[in-house]
Amino acid sequence: MRAFVKISIGVLFMIGLAACSNKEGDSDKVEEKEETMTEAIPAGDFPKQFLSGNYERIYNQFSESFKNEVSLEEFIGIGEQFNDGVESYALVSEMSLPEVVEYQWVSEKDKKGIRAYFSEDLTIEGLQVLNITANLESDEVYTKNTYHMPINEPWFTFWGGTNELVNYHYAHEPQRYAYDLLMKEGDSTFEGDSTTNESYFAFGKDVVAPLEGVVVSVENGISENTPGVDTNTDQPAGNNVIIKHENNEFSVLAHFKKDSVVVKEGQEVKAGELLGLAGNSGNSSEPHIHFHVVDSAEWENATSLRIKLNVEEPIRGEVVEGF
């Protein structure tokens, strides 16, 4: 299998503090105009301002440390090149994270994406612009079976959807329609020591069979990673369970806690039956569940199928229900 997603945030520009602050002044029209021009741009207006070429105004919302790394001229060059041929950007995802909110926009033809992180005071803490993969013919090919999410309580969709901006897996055919699920309370996925798996709300939670079938492969002895410190790229799926379903479809569930898998190869399982516990094994940087469906037992080189779910398909930033 090609590399499973690592739960982490990658940004093109990492910004420090310092948003523009509004100046105090009297009612003089000139001063009012100057104040308006230096107002911080709210997230909802960002794509319009970016596409309109108001780069200096945007640049003013970055920190001094950012300005020391990237000049206004460089930022303008990036913006002009990226915006070439784009008519509009539409919001596709919004997600609260500790101290920031992530916003993601795509162009009208889903070829270009923007990911930005805004703090409460409208400081732009991070910005990424990227060409994305989207609108492939395979989007029209759903599984013949209808699946549940492999969970029995609400989970948070960290990666999921049909473009590369909201779903890191999308560019990789064997995992194109995969989901990565984790648990959040408020804006955080853990409480306490961030380097301890037990601090994460997802760790040790039940992972269940998304549909009845026969277990064809089990891995149960791979050690956990230290969250945010290391990952196991040599065994990317970590502890995992593969189930064969009707219509020659195979579900892949990965990153189980070591020694927690309770099913065996050849065992028939019912939909909703316990498979094991969520962990942090394999190519994973914090406890979560990876789930996708493929068309072959040779799942490392198989074709990922868009999953027909019994609920509305979630995308990055949305909560999803299971059984």
Side-chain angles (χ1 to χ4, degrees):
M1 170 166 287
R2 301 179 73 167
F4 282 74
V5 66
K6 296 167 63 176
I7 299 297
S8 60
I9 297 171
V11 294
L12 177 61
F13 306 128
M14 289 305 297
I15 316 304
L17 302 175
C20 295
S21 58
N22 293 334
K23 298 188 299 180
E24 295 182 0
D26 57 26
S27 59
D28 184 88
K29 292 183 179 180
V30 174
E31 291 185 5
E32 287 180 357
K33 182 177 180 180
E34 290 177 351
E35 181 178 349
T36 300
M37 291 180 65
T38 57
E39 279 183 352
I41 298 168
D45 289 343
F46 176 87
K48 181 179 178 180
Q49 297 295 330
F50 184 64
L51 189 57
S52 298
N54 292 331
Y55 302 119
E56 185 170 2
R57 186 177 174 193
I58 294 170
Y59 190 80
N60 287 336
Q61 286 180 232
F62 296 133
S63 68
E64 290 302 319
S65 60
F66 172 81
K67 295 171 186 175
N68 290 334
E69 295 293 329
V70 179
S71 69
L72 174 60
E73 290 73 20
E74 289 172 323
F75 181 61
I76 290 172
I78 291 170
E80 289 180 342
Q81 181 179 8
F82 189 75
N83 284 325
D84 184 38
V86 177
E87 296 180 2
S88 64
Y89 294 102
L91 182 70
V92 292
S93 176
E94 180 178 334
M95 180 169 67
S96 294
L97 297 167
E99 300 181 359
V100 296
V101 177
E102 176 196 87
Y103 298 88
Q104 299 194 103
W105 299 273
V106 296
S107 64
E108 68 280 353
K109 295 182 180 179
D110 291 348
K111 296 296 185 182
K112 297 182 179 182
I114 302 171
R115 180 179 293 137
Y117 298 89
F118 281 74
S119 65
E120 186 176 356
D121 65 359
L122 299 183
T123 300
I124 301 174
E125 300 286 355
L127 176 66
Q128 183 178 25
V129 295
L130 65 163
N131 296 316
I132 60 174
T133 306
N135 294 323
L136 299 177
E137 291 183 3
S138 58
D139 290 356
E140 306 301 319
V141 182
Y142 283 84
T143 57
K144 294 179 180 179
N145 303 320
T146 299
Y147 294 82
H148 295 262
M149 281 295 191
I151 53 179
N152 53 23
E153 55 187 311
W155 283 66
F156 183 81
T157 306
F158 192 86
W159 293 115
T162 54
N163 68 62
E164 194 176 348
L165 192 66
V166 295
N167 192 355
Y168 172 87
H169 310 91
Y170 190 82
H172 309 295
E173 186 176 8
Q175 299 185 61
R176 178 158 294 146
Y177 301 104
Y179 291 97
D180 278 338
L181 308 176
L182 46 73
M183 283 196 156
K184 287 179 63 182
E185 292 186 12
D187 295 334
S188 182
T189 59
F190 69 93
E191 183 177 24
D193 183 358
S194 64
T195 63
T196 301
N197 282 307
E198 287 76 10
S199 297
Y200 288 79
F201 306 125
F203 190 70
K205 290 290 187 177
D206 290 353
V207 184
V208 301
L211 188 66
E212 64 271 9
V214 178
V215 177
V216 297
S217 177
V218 170
E219 177 62 62
N220 199 25
I222 298 174
S223 298
E224 310 294 322
N225 303 316
T226 302
V229 175
D230 57 13
T231 61
N232 183 350
T233 56
D234 293 333
Q235 300 167 301
N239 301 308
N240 64 85
V241 175
I242 314 300
I243 305 172
K244 181 179 181 180
H245 308 283
E246 289 184 345
N247 299 306
N248 208 41
E249 295 176 352
F250 299 79
S251 60
V252 181
L253 301 109
H255 309 310
F256 286 85
K257 180 181 177 182
K258 183 182 179 182
D259 297 328
S260 75
V261 176
V262 296
V263 294
K264 307 295 183 183
E265 290 183 18
Q267 179 177 336
E268 293 185 5
V269 294
K270 298 178 181 179
E273 184 174 341
L274 180 68
L275 301 176
L277 305 179
N280 187 28
S281 59
N283 192 11
S284 168
S285 57
E286 76 170 76
H288 72 288
I289 297 171
H290 174 104
F291 167 50
H292 73 278
V293 176
V294 288
D295 65 354
S296 169
E298 301 297 325
W299 49 273
E300 298 93 337
N301 300 304
T303 297
S304 178
L305 302 171
R306 188 171 180 180
I307 305 171
K308 185 195 302 180
L309 292 167
N310 69 319
V311 295
E312 185 175 349
E313 291 178 279
I315 65 169
R316 179 174 169 87
E318 295 182 344
V319 174
V320 64
E321 301 282 345
F323 288 88

